[in-house]
Every structure is written in structure tokens, then in C-alpha cells.
Amino acid sequence: RGLHGQPRSAAGGGDASASAVRKPPQQPRHDTMQYPIVIAVTVWLSGYVDSRKIRGISLAYRRFYKEKPSFLCIDGSKLIPFTQVNDDYCDCLDGSDEPGTAACSNGRFYCTNLGFRPYYIASSRVNDGVCDCCDTSDEYNSQTRCNNTCRKLGQKERAEVENQIRSMNEGLHLKRQLIKDGINMWQEKQNQLKDLKMASERLQRKLETQRKAKQKADTDKDTLTGLQRLKALAVPRNPQAAATSPLSVFQALDANGDGSLTAEEVQAGVAILEDKTRSLTHAEAIDLLGGFGQVGFSGFQETLLWDRLRTGDGLEVKDGPKMKPHEPDSEAAVEAAVQEDATADLKKVEDALEMMKLEIRDLEEALSADYGADKEFMYLQSQCLELTVYEYTYTLCPFNQVTQRNSQGEQMIVLGKWRSWDGPPGNEHSKMKFDRGEPCWQGPTRSTLVTLTCGTETVLRSVKEPSKCQYVMELQTPAACQPLTPRRSVHSEL
């Protein structure tokens, strides 16, 4: 038989005629039974091959190389004599008859690598003068002198694995704290949202009250003159109140002249008619101001305080304004001031309500996001992480957006806005997807995919652009740590 693809002889390496034992000459009868036994043992031994001596096969594949007279290619395509296994000639289409030689272009050699990890190499690298297996088993028939490095490699890898496990355990410890913090943050935001909604409802009622009051004032202004409006007031029981305008009373009580009346100023400036030695309590002052700790001039006219002062119902202003008749011009000025202040207060309430609605919307959006099964990623909601690569600085704000700016900080480009988690089934929280970024010139819209890895720190590890305007990032965080679960070893060749 020829080597490496040369045609075999007509008999072939495993032909029966080539291996047959020539019949011995006749011997005495007492020896006639000895020769058939010797022949049988010889033939049996020639067909016996220990699978443990077959080079380049793994433990899982030894069952295909049991001691048999014939070998069936693993793909079932051909049956050959067992003597043609590892004979440096490729007989099987799948290369399974040459696991320990370089005869088959599609073959592979199994490195046992005792003390390290076993792995496969291409059969073309067997006896090529380069040590590929750390146990040197691939260079069994070459001039290259290889050193067995499996033990050192195994020790190094075990040390790395131990460090990874230690880092994993530290990360899991930090993750448990992040879960507690995340749950607390979630509850705080829920309470904050509840308080804002209640405050919004109160502000809405106040706004409706002030709108009605302004509408009534506008109607009264069209139908009554300033003098007629004064006469329309209820007859006061305190004569001093008859000639006292609301503006003068307000100014008398506004001790610091800041245009607003506080509960403390009411306590200091209002006397009780029945017992002038007693001062109003803080709670009484707030009740007189309609439940508020501070009111403006327009709000003052809608309070119980002004109603009781103008009617003289048990209250009066200490050192109040002097009684004087109101001239038509001064009355018009008062009414103009009242109207202007009422409009300003209404605008303030409307602005405050609008701001409160925006806060409620932002909180609802924040609470609607997926922060993990145990809220472990909640802490990232208010963080932004940066990494500088060459002349660019990249900023990742989880659950918000990804941006890029140049070294001068003059231009900022949005590389994507938060879309969703994008990990595989069963591990959805391992990747973050950001899309709808700014469009590239003659390219697609920018997008970023962030891969989360386990670590003891929260840090942006790397930024790459594998394709035009498509970015990938690595974010290390304790929240991505998962406990190690024992798994049964699975051989890659099965």
C-alpha cells in the first residue's frame, strides 16, 4: 500500500490472502492438534487492538474503537479492516479512521492534556513540528522536542478560576445590598408619587377656587363701581372696619412688606376682641388663612381672617390703619391692585400645578421601568458612567441614553436612547439596548448594545464600534453577578 493517498494494492492492507498462514507440513499425529490452536491464537491476536492505545480519541469516542476485526466509519459510510485505523491513509469520508495522524483534511486530534483542559486541534497540526497540545501528544513522531506544560497551565487556570469565584462571591454580597437599596428606593418613589398626587389634587381644588373667585371679581368689576362694591360688603360689627380697605389691612399685617402674609404675622398683628391679652395660636392662624401657612393679597381676601376682620367678628388689627374715607381714585387704584394680584396668584398656582404634573409623569415613567426581578438594577437609574477612548468621551446613563462628545466637549452626539433589555431567554437582564440615536451621515441611525458583566465595581469597561454607527459597551456591575450552579460536564464532540 502506498502512503498519503497512493492507491492500495489489489490485496489491500487488510486482505485475507496477505495475512493467511501457510499450512505446515505433515507431522506426527500427536502434534496435529497443536497447530490449529497456534493458528487461531495468532489470528485472534492480530485482530486485537486496545482502544486505549488509539491516538487522538477522547474517552467518549473509545466505544467506536473497540477491539474488532473491522472498523465502521463513525458516519456509517464505510467498513474497513481495523488495521487501517491510524495507518496514515484516509479511508473514511468523515476522517474518523485517522484520529491520530494528519492523513485526513477534515480530521481532528484530541489532546488529553492531563492536569489541564482537554481540547481538539486540526489533524493537520499533528507532527508538524509545532507543539499544540500541552502534553506534547501531537508531536509523537516529529523531531521537535516539546515540554509538558499542562501542570503549569492547570495551576494558572485554577488560580484564575479561584479569583473569579472570589470576585463572584464579593459581587453577590454587594448585590444583596443593592437589592435592599433598590427596594427601599422603589418604595420611596412610590410614596413620593402618592404624596405628589395628593398635593396635586389639593392644588387643583385651590386653582378652581381661585378661578371662580377671579371670574366673580371680573363680573363684579363690570357691574359695580369701586364705591358700590364697598357698600355691598356686609355691615361690620367693628366700626373701624367700615372705612378700612382690604389692601390697607393686608399691608398693616404684612410686617416685613414682602407681599405675602404668614401665620406668624397673623399671630403678631391680630388681636382677639374678647381677650386682648391672649394671642392667636399657630393652628388658629393657619385656620384663619384657609389652611395655608402663607397667602398673597388676592388669597387674603378669600380667607376667613379677612371676613372676620371686615365684619368685626371677634378680631381686629393691632395698631391697625387709621380710618379715612376712600377717594374714587384711590378706590380705583385699590381695585386695579387687587385685580393684578389675583391674576398673578392664579398664574403661580397654574405654574405650580404644571410642574407637579411633570414630576408625577417622570416618577411614573421611572417606576414603570424593569429594574430586575429583585430591583437590583434600581440604583443605576440615577447614575451616569463615563469612559474616554482616544479623543472621545462616552457617557452611559442606564435607562436614559448614551452619548459621545469630543475632547473639546464642543459637540455631543446621542448614540441611542433606552429601549429595553435585550439578553437571551433566561438571562434577559444581561444586555441593554439603546436605539433611536442621531443618524449617521450616509449611514444608519446610531444604536448601542451594552453587555453587563459581574464585578465588584460599577464601571464602564470598554466601548467599541464593530460596524458603522453601531456601538457595543461593557458595563461591569455587582448587580449582574449570578450564583454559580453545578453543571454536569458536556463533551463538545457529542
Side-chain angles (χ1 to χ4, degrees):
R1 183 178 68 85
L3 297 179
H4 297 288
Q6 296 298 324
R8 298 181 185 274
S9 64
D15 190 277
S17 63
S19 60
V21 179
R22 179 174 297 179
K23 185 176 181 181
Q26 293 290 336
Q27 296 291 333
R29 184 174 178 83
H30 64 273
D31 290 329
T32 56
M33 295 300 294
Q34 179 181 358
Y35 290 99
I37 294 175
V38 173
I39 293 172
V41 170
T42 302
V43 172
W44 180 80
L45 287 175
S46 66
Y48 175 80
V49 179
D50 190 348
S51 64
R52 290 174 296 179
K53 296 180 180 180
I54 301 296
R55 294 182 186 274
I57 63 171
S58 67
L59 179 63
Y61 267 51
R62 284 184 181 176
R63 60 191 176 93
F64 296 107
Y65 297 86
K66 293 292 185 182
E67 56 274 14
K68 296 177 182 179
S70 301
F71 175 78
L72 178 65
C73 300
I74 293 179
D75 63 359
S77 61
K78 194 174 183 181
L79 186 68
I80 62 175
F82 211 108
T83 55
Q84 293 177 206
V85 174
N86 276 347
D87 65 347
D88 207 23
Y89 186 92
C90 192
D91 297 289
C92 297
L93 296 177
D94 62 357
S96 58
D97 65 311
E98 298 298 320
T101 74
C104 298
S105 61
N106 59 340
R108 57 180 186 168
F109 181 88
Y110 183 79
C111 302
T112 304
N113 295 340
L114 186 63
F116 188 54
R117 289 180 292 102
Y119 49 77
Y120 281 98
I121 62 172
S123 62
S124 60
R125 294 159 67 180
V126 174
N127 292 323
D128 64 348
V130 178
C131 302
D132 299 294
C133 301
C134 69
D135 63 358
T136 74
S137 58
D138 61 311
E139 297 300 317
Y140 63 88
N141 194 26
S142 73
Q143 301 300 318
T144 302
R145 295 180 62 86
C146 299
N147 295 321
N148 191 321
T149 59
C150 289
R151 183 177 178 182
K152 291 182 179 180
L153 291 174
Q155 290 175 341
K156 181 180 178 180
E157 184 174 73
R158 284 189 291 274
E160 292 176 352
V161 170
E162 288 174 358
N163 289 334
Q164 290 176 0
I165 293 175
R166 185 161 46 251
S167 177
M168 178 78 70
N169 290 334
E170 293 176 5
L172 288 172
H173 176 73
L174 294 172
K175 180 179 180 178
R176 286 190 287 270
Q177 185 60 47
L178 289 177
I179 290 174
K180 293 180 181 179
D181 295 342
I183 293 174
N184 291 336
M185 291 172 62
W186 177 271
Q187 192 60 51
E188 287 177 5
K189 288 186 179 295
Q190 288 278 17
N191 294 336
Q192 186 180 356
L193 179 61
K194 182 180 178 180
D195 293 342
L196 277 175
K197 286 185 174 181
M198 293 176 62
S200 175
E201 292 175 358
R202 290 195 300 267
L203 204 58
Q204 184 68 46
R205 290 193 295 268
K206 180 179 178 181
L207 180 62
E208 294 298 327
T209 300
Q210 290 197 3
R211 282 175 176 170
K212 290 178 181 179
K214 185 177 182 301
Q215 184 178 8
K216 183 177 182 300
D218 291 342
T219 303
D220 292 345
K221 181 180 178 181
D222 294 338
T223 57
L224 298 174
T225 64
L227 181 59
Q228 289 172 328
R229 294 177 65 191
L230 286 175
K231 290 180 178 179
L233 296 175
V235 179
R237 282 175 267 177
N238 181 6
Q240 180 189 3
T244 305
S245 69
L247 182 60
S248 61
V249 172
F250 182 84
Q251 291 173 342
L253 293 175
D254 184 12
N256 57 8
D258 63 350
S260 63
L261 190 59
T262 65
E264 290 77 10
E265 288 173 330
V266 172
Q267 287 181 271
V270 176
I272 302 174
L273 292 177
E274 296 180 356
D275 186 1
K276 293 186 178 183
T277 61
R278 187 176 79 83
S279 299
L280 292 170
T281 65
H282 189 265
E284 290 174 335
I286 288 180
D287 288 340
L288 289 172
L289 291 178
F292 298 99
Q294 181 176 330
V295 296
F297 177 56
S298 62
F300 166 71
Q301 296 178 86
E302 303 297 329
T303 63
L304 178 62
L305 175 61
W306 167 241
D307 187 57
R308 292 186 62 177
L309 286 175
R310 72 181 179 81
T311 59
D313 186 10
L315 300 175
E316 69 176 1
V317 179
K318 298 177 181 179
D319 303 326
K322 295 181 180 180
M323 296 167 52
K324 63 178 182 178
H326 300 284
E327 300 295 333
D329 291 342
S330 64
E331 182 66 27
V334 169
E335 292 302 326
V338 170
Q339 187 70 18
E340 181 179 354
D341 195 71
T343 302
D345 280 358
L346 184 62
K347 183 67 166 61
K348 288 180 181 178
V349 175
E350 289 175 341
D351 292 345
L353 183 60
E354 187 63 27
M355 287 295 295
M356 199 170 291
K357 287 181 178 179
L358 291 176
E359 291 182 25
I360 290 174
R361 185 198 65 185
D362 292 343
L363 271 175
E364 288 178 338
E365 288 182 358
L367 290 171
S368 66
D370 179 6
Y371 298 108
D374 299 313
K375 304 294 184 291
E376 62 270 28
F377 298 102
M378 183 78 184
Y379 82 106
L380 291 174
Q381 191 263 341
S382 58
Q383 291 196 24
C384 290
L385 304 110
E386 290 189 349
L387 179 65
T388 299
V389 180
Y390 301 113
E391 70 272 23
Y392 295 106
T393 298
Y394 298 87
T395 304
L396 167 64
C397 299
F399 309 105
N400 189 359
Q401 65 178 8
V402 181
T403 59
Q404 174 200 69
R405 65 177 185 274
N406 56 23
S407 56
Q408 292 78 25
E410 299 171 352
Q411 184 183 16
M412 187 182 77
I413 300 175
V414 178
L415 305 184
K417 298 178 182 178
W418 167 253
R419 168 64 72 178
S420 63
W421 293 101
D422 199 45
N427 194 19
E428 291 82 0
H429 298 100
S430 61
K431 294 181 184 295
M432 287 180 161
K433 182 178 181 181
F434 296 80
D435 57 12
R436 296 163 294 149
E438 296 184 27
C440 278
W441 184 73
Q442 292 186 344
T445 300
R446 291 177 172 86
S447 64
T448 304
L449 185 65
V450 181
T451 300
L452 281 70
T453 59
C454 172
T456 57
E457 297 179 316
T458 301
V459 60
L460 189 58
R461 284 293 186 191
S462 66
V463 179
K464 297 179 182 178
E465 187 179 359
S467 58
K468 186 175 182 180
C469 297
Q470 308 297 305
Y471 300 86
V472 293
M473 293 182 170
E474 180 188 348
L475 171 62
Q476 178 182 292
T477 167
C481 294
Q482 299 291 338
L484 295 175
T485 55
R487 295 184 301 172
R488 186 173 61 182
S489 177
V490 178
H491 295 280
S492 60
E493 66 270 21
L494 292 181

